[in-house]
Amino acid sequence: YIFRIAPSSSMVGSVVTDWLIELGVQDVILIVENTDYGQPAAADEQARLEAAGVTVEKLDVELGTEDFVPILSRIQARPEAPDAIRIVVTGETSFNLTQQMAELGIAPTEDTICVTNQIAFQSEQYWATVPDGNYCAFNRVGIIPTLFNDIATEVNAKYEEEFGDIIASFAMEAYDSVWLLADAMERAGTYEDADAIVLALEESDIELSQGRYYFTYTSLNPDMPEGTPAYMWHQWPDPIVTVMQYFEEGQSSLEAAVVYPEVYQTHGTNYIMPGTTP
């Protein structure tokens, strides 16, 4: 009875780690929130990086922390700067951490890549809280602005009118979830028969704000190939996950560069060195 259109943490983390590996980083610091999201997500990213020969140091923090100077001082005290700092911390705590890291000149720099939390996509809130965060990269879960269809454009306009910022992917997911369920109920011809609605959901094929929705592994196609993660059951297989990067202070995330994967690149580069323009 469970269907999911959001990507798993490992699906998101693999895009970030693949990007860092492709850039050739050798030394990465993971700053990780001590939660049931942060720890497993970071463990997966650490395993992927280490499997590629990257040295990883993991530093744990608590959500709600306001002063990160003690932990950032440990990074400053290292003999050599890390190649990248990956922040696996959610919400406003990630903003505080990113700003203090930038303020201290730790990252982003010519030596150290900054990868902050995906909430950085909400640019008005980001720049209000992280004024020194230019050139930070962030993962974006969900369709990117250059691929917005008519539905996404309309929903984004309504969201901006109501909340004063660009729509977050989780809002698009919520919007699409309601329509997926409504579509399934209409095709099933019932609002009460759970099994009929589940079957209709398994047969979904509909274009909504984040793309075309369908489910590969269902009761209609139960044989999952060996090695396929169990979470792929009733999982939408095509959520878009990208790495984006700001390159102008105060820049709208609608104009930020998509740097990875290459198929979605918007500015012809997989990384923008601080101080340069693509």
Side-chain angles (χ1 to χ4, degrees):
Y1 290 92
I2 304 299
F3 292 78
R4 182 163 63 178
I5 62 173
S8 67
S9 294
S10 58
M11 292 168 76
V12 175
S14 66
V15 173
V16 176
T17 53
D18 287 351
W19 173 63
L20 291 172
I21 292 166
E22 187 173 297
L23 290 176
V25 302
Q26 294 297 313
D27 181 14
V28 173
I29 291 178
L30 296 177
I31 303 181
V32 184
E33 65 178 56
N34 191 19
T35 65
D36 289 341
Y37 155 71
Q39 295 300 316
D44 186 77
E45 292 191 28
Q46 182 171 357
R48 290 174 178 274
L49 288 166
E50 290 179 339
V54 179
T55 299
V56 179
E57 180 181 1
K58 178 172 165 289
L59 303 174
D60 293 338
V61 299
E62 299 297 327
L63 280 182
T65 299
E66 295 186 359
D67 182 8
F68 289 98
V69 171
I71 196 168
L72 293 173
S73 296
R74 291 171 56 185
I75 299 174
Q76 284 184 309
R78 287 167 51 115
E80 293 185 6
D83 294 329
I85 298 176
R86 161 69 164 147
I87 296 175
V88 189
V89 179
T90 55
E92 293 185 4
T93 305
S94 72
F95 286 157
N96 293 334
L97 172 54
T98 305
Q99 173 57 21
Q100 290 174 42
M101 187 171 70
E103 236 176 357
L104 291 170
I106 295 172
T109 67
E110 291 185 4
D111 297 319
T112 305
I113 298 166
C114 161
V115 192
T116 191
N117 181 258
Q118 66 185 35
I119 199 174
F121 183 80
Q122 295 178 281
S123 47
E124 289 194 21
Q125 187 180 2
Y126 177 77
W127 291 114
T129 316
V130 193
D132 298 316
N134 195 21
Y135 292 106
C136 272
F138 54 94
N139 54 288
R140 162 70 174 171
V141 177
I143 192 167
I144 56 177
T146 54
L147 297 180
F148 274 9
N149 58 22
D150 290 344
I151 300 173
T153 300
E154 181 181 353
V155 174
N156 179 65
K158 291 179 178 178
Y159 188 95
E160 286 196 81
E161 182 180 353
E162 181 71 23
F163 298 105
D165 209 341
I166 297 158
I167 192 167
S169 61
F170 50 78
M172 299 175 85
E173 287 166 358
Y175 179 90
D176 288 352
S177 293
V178 173
W179 276 106
L180 272 164
L181 191 56
D183 173 69
M185 288 176 170
E186 184 176 355
R187 286 185 290 104
T190 176
Y191 302 102
E192 298 176 344
D193 186 337
D195 289 336
I197 294 169
V198 166
L199 181 60
L201 276 169
E202 290 186 329
E203 296 175 323
S204 293
D205 188 350
I206 184 172
E207 185 83 16
L208 294 168
S209 72
Q210 294 210 101
R212 173 179 165 255
Y213 287 99
Y214 63 96
F215 302 98
T216 304
Y217 299 111
T218 66
S219 64
L220 305 172
N221 182 35
D223 297 325
M224 300 171 69
E226 186 176 352
T228 303
Y231 61 71
M232 290 305 297
W233 181 265
H234 285 179
Q235 166 74 51
W236 180 40
D238 287 338
I240 295 175
V241 181
T242 57
V243 179
M244 303 184 71
Q245 186 180 8
Y246 289 117
F247 58 90
E248 292 179 0
E249 291 183 10
Q251 186 173 44
S252 166
S253 57
L254 294 176
E255 298 171 352
V258 179
V259 293
Y260 191 84
E262 185 176 354
V263 66
Y264 297 125
Q265 278 180 5
T266 55
H267 289 68
T269 181
N270 61 358
Y271 181 62
I272 304 167
M273 182 65 69
T276 69
T277 301

